[in-house]
Amino acid sequence: MLEEKKTHVEVKKPQIDVRYLADYMGGSEQARRTIVRGCKYRPIARLLQHDDAKLAIAKSLVNDVATSLHLSSEAARVRSKLATDDFDAKKNAVNADYIEQFSEVVGDLVLPKADLLPPGPQQSLNIGRVRVTFTPSIRLARVTRTNKTRVGALMLRYSKGKPLPSDIGEYQSAAIFGCLCSLGNDDGAEVEKALCVTLDAYTGASYCAPGKAVYYFNEMRAVCEGIAERWPAIKPPHNSVL
């Protein structure tokens, strides 16, 4: 009898990404169950990721060359990348579509007045007994008139044909603010809500951390406590093989 091929890997300890935490906060109970199950049971099959698109857009913004013409050229470059199989070809097409869509809205883009800097490595922190991973696309910094440094970060979101709901954008920006405050800065720079941004690459809309960002982040902390309590009882997807 042949052994069934494994389809998923179980994550033993509670873990969620900032993006999915924001989705969880703005989601229905059914959506929340799906999100947490997806975090606990990771599919082994290759998934279509937007890494190339996010890197191309972030670099264009940091280097101040984010024009429609430049981004269209980047989309063409990604689309023509060497593909070793059908999956790679589809991944290239999906990432090129992402960049092309952003090229159509970049002219109306409004971001905070700040220096845009490379993002640095992925970071993580424990919130309510859950490991939360945080991977910004860009770092933001500005110097005030009193010579104090204010910092923040920007994360890109994209869903083909679907604008990002504003409440999820605000939740994610509040999470960015809370994560940066929790992680701290070696140089003593203060995290500024206006510099914590979620950018919807589909519409070009940007969402800064709201005035109630601290309240939102505390709500996320309480939600993470609930996720940690439920984690052991979360069942794998139907027909999955671990």
Side-chain angles (χ1 to χ4, degrees), residues 57-66 102 109-119 137-142 152-154 194-195 197 199:
I57 290 172
K59 287 180 69 174
S60 70
L61 289 169
V62 169
N63 295 328
D64 197 24
V65 292
F102 186 64
L109 185 64
V110 178
L111 292 177
K113 292 183 179 180
D115 294 326
L116 304 183
L117 309 168
S137 300
I138 297 171
R139 294 277 180 172
L140 286 80
R142 71 178 186 91
L154 179 148
L195 300 184
V197 183
L199 173 58

Side-chain angles (χ1 to χ4, degrees), residues 102-194:
F102 186 64
S103 75
E104 294 179 8
V105 299
V106 69
D108 297 323
L109 185 64
V110 178
L111 292 177
K113 292 183 179 180
D115 294 326
L116 304 183
L117 309 168
Q122 181 190 76
Q123 295 180 287
S124 65
L125 65 161
N126 290 320
I127 301 175
R129 296 186 292 138
V130 174
R131 180 173 177 260
V132 177
T133 54
F134 172 51
T135 312
S137 300
I138 297 171
R139 294 277 180 172
L140 286 80
R142 71 178 186 91
V143 178
T144 68
R145 293 178 181 177
T146 56
N147 208 33
K148 294 182 179 179
T149 302
R150 300 287 186 263
V151 296
L154 179 148
M155 296 184 75
L156 287 160
R157 292 290 304 257
Y158 172 79
S159 181
K160 187 173 182 178
K162 187 178 179 181
L164 179 69
S166 58
D167 60 335
I168 292 179
E170 290 192 355
Y171 272 123
Q172 185 159 336
S173 295
I176 294 170
F177 175 76
C179 286
L180 289 177
C181 288
S182 299
L183 290 166
N185 296 281
D186 293 337
D187 57 5
E190 182 178 330
V191 183
E192 184 176 344
K193 293 174 186 174

